[in-house]
Amino acid sequence: DEAADILEIKDYLDRKPRQLSGGQRQRVAMGRAIVRDPQVFLFDEPLSNLDAKLRVQMRLEIRKLQRRLGVTSIYVTHDQVEAMTLADRLIVLNQGNIDQIGSPKALYAKPDTLFVAGFLGSPSMNFISSQSVSRYSDELKQRMQQYLAGKSDQNIQIGVRPEQLLVSNDNTSEYDLMLEATVLAVEDLGADCLIYVELNSDKSQLIWRAVAGTEVDIGQVLNLAAKHESLHLF
């Protein structure tokens, strides 16, 4: 009764499994775990078979449940949104090895590897070859030289989040990185706008997350820019 009350499924206790929705079945599964009074909950992609709306609802339910019960929970997922929203401590595994451990905010802000940087964030981080950049500031050049000191491989991938790209109408501006790119496609998502571009230097593709209502034309050439504090070197 206590587990049913926690999960708000008391009205469904007399139903057969076939009479339950996907979300209700997931709550029943969690109830079966709760009644055993475990020391640790193990979740193995519990939301993978649910539709998008139900996944959002069940993410919130699991988070509330975990905080209410105060039981350590290990949650395995390939969905980086679930990982970011549910975790207190995040472990990113790559080919069976741990790439990085930390809070979701720490891993998002300071990823240690290309894999972590590309995994966390939706859309994922853009990666730009250092040889494709139109202009660097002296400050960024110095930072890159320090990063390369003592390394045999002198190739750098510069990472920048889609929301940290800006458009500059002034090539002599205060920005640390300048990129000339051509607009390929635009996705207006209502709250914001995803603009897909192709670098004129090497034809690699990037995503710029712009504010809602941004108007650009397919084929338009943009001067994208970023400040060095938003850039990651790999």
Side-chain angles (χ1 to χ4, degrees):
D1 286 342
E2 183 183 358
D5 188 49
I6 290 171
L7 295 165
E8 298 179 358
I9 54 173
K10 277 195 167 183
D11 293 341
Y12 311 125
L13 293 181
D14 293 330
R15 294 190 184 183
K16 300 292 185 182
R18 66 175 180 275
Q19 297 172 305
L20 299 175
S21 68
Q24 290 163 354
R25 292 182 190 186
Q26 294 290 53
R27 292 187 190 195
V28 171
M30 286 189 284
R32 287 200 296 267
I34 290 171
V35 296
R36 301 179 187 204
D37 195 23
Q39 292 181 302
V40 179
F41 285 121
L42 304 177
F43 292 94
D44 187 4
E45 299 198 64
L47 309 183
S48 58
N49 294 324
L50 303 182
D51 62 47
K53 184 177 180 180
L54 199 50
R55 278 201 302 272
V56 173
Q57 180 184 339
M58 288 305 300
R59 275 207 313 267
L60 178 61
E61 294 294 335
I62 290 173
R63 188 62 171 158
K64 286 164 56 181
L65 177 65
Q66 201 277 331
R67 290 195 178 281
R68 179 171 178 178
L69 297 177
V71 177
T72 296
S73 301
I74 298 175
Y75 192 105
V76 180
T77 180
H78 287 88
D79 186 322
Q80 57 95 18
V81 174
E82 285 179 27
M84 291 289 291
T85 55
L86 287 171
D88 296 305
R89 191 163 182 250
L90 197 58
I91 301 173
V92 180
L93 291 170
N94 180 15
Q95 300 294 321
N97 298 309
I98 295 175
D99 264 27
Q100 194 170 350
I101 301 174
S103 70
K105 284 184 178 179
L107 268 63
Y108 186 84
K110 293 184 178 180
D112 286 344
T113 66
L114 272 170
F115 180 82
V116 175
F119 179 72
L120 295 178
S122 181
S124 61
M125 183 181 288
N126 295 304
F127 297 109
I128 307 154
S129 169
S130 57
Q131 300 172 348
S132 304
V133 178
S134 306
R135 186 182 68 80
Y136 301 109
S137 68
D138 291 338
E139 190 172 8
L140 181 56
K141 281 182 182 178
Q142 184 178 4
R143 182 180 162 195
M144 291 170 66
Q145 288 168 357
Q146 291 173 346
Y147 180 80
L148 287 172
K151 292 184 171 68
S152 57
D153 188 351
Q154 296 293 293
N155 294 318
I156 288 183
Q157 290 290 317
I158 301 172
V160 59
R161 299 276 180 201
E163 64 270 19
Q164 292 171 327
L165 282 173
L166 306 163
V167 167
S168 172
N169 296 318
D170 179 9
N171 282 329
T172 61
S173 69
E174 74 278 11
Y175 298 116
D176 297 285
L177 185 73
M178 295 292 293
L179 304 161
E180 188 179 86
T182 302
V183 176
L184 297 177
V186 178
E187 289 184 350
D188 192 339
L189 303 179
D192 54 20
C193 194
L194 298 182
I195 299 173
Y196 297 80
V197 302
E198 181 181 80
L199 293 185
N200 293 350
S201 55
D202 67 355
K203 303 303 180 184
S204 60
Q205 295 184 10
L206 309 179
I207 301 176
W208 166 37
R209 188 196 290 272
V211 297
T214 298
E215 294 186 5
V216 294
D217 297 321
I218 306 300
Q220 181 178 341
V221 176
L222 303 174
N223 288 316
L224 295 177
K227 294 189 174 183
H228 82 92
E229 58 264 26
S230 67
L231 301 174
H232 307 264
L233 305 181
F234 303 98

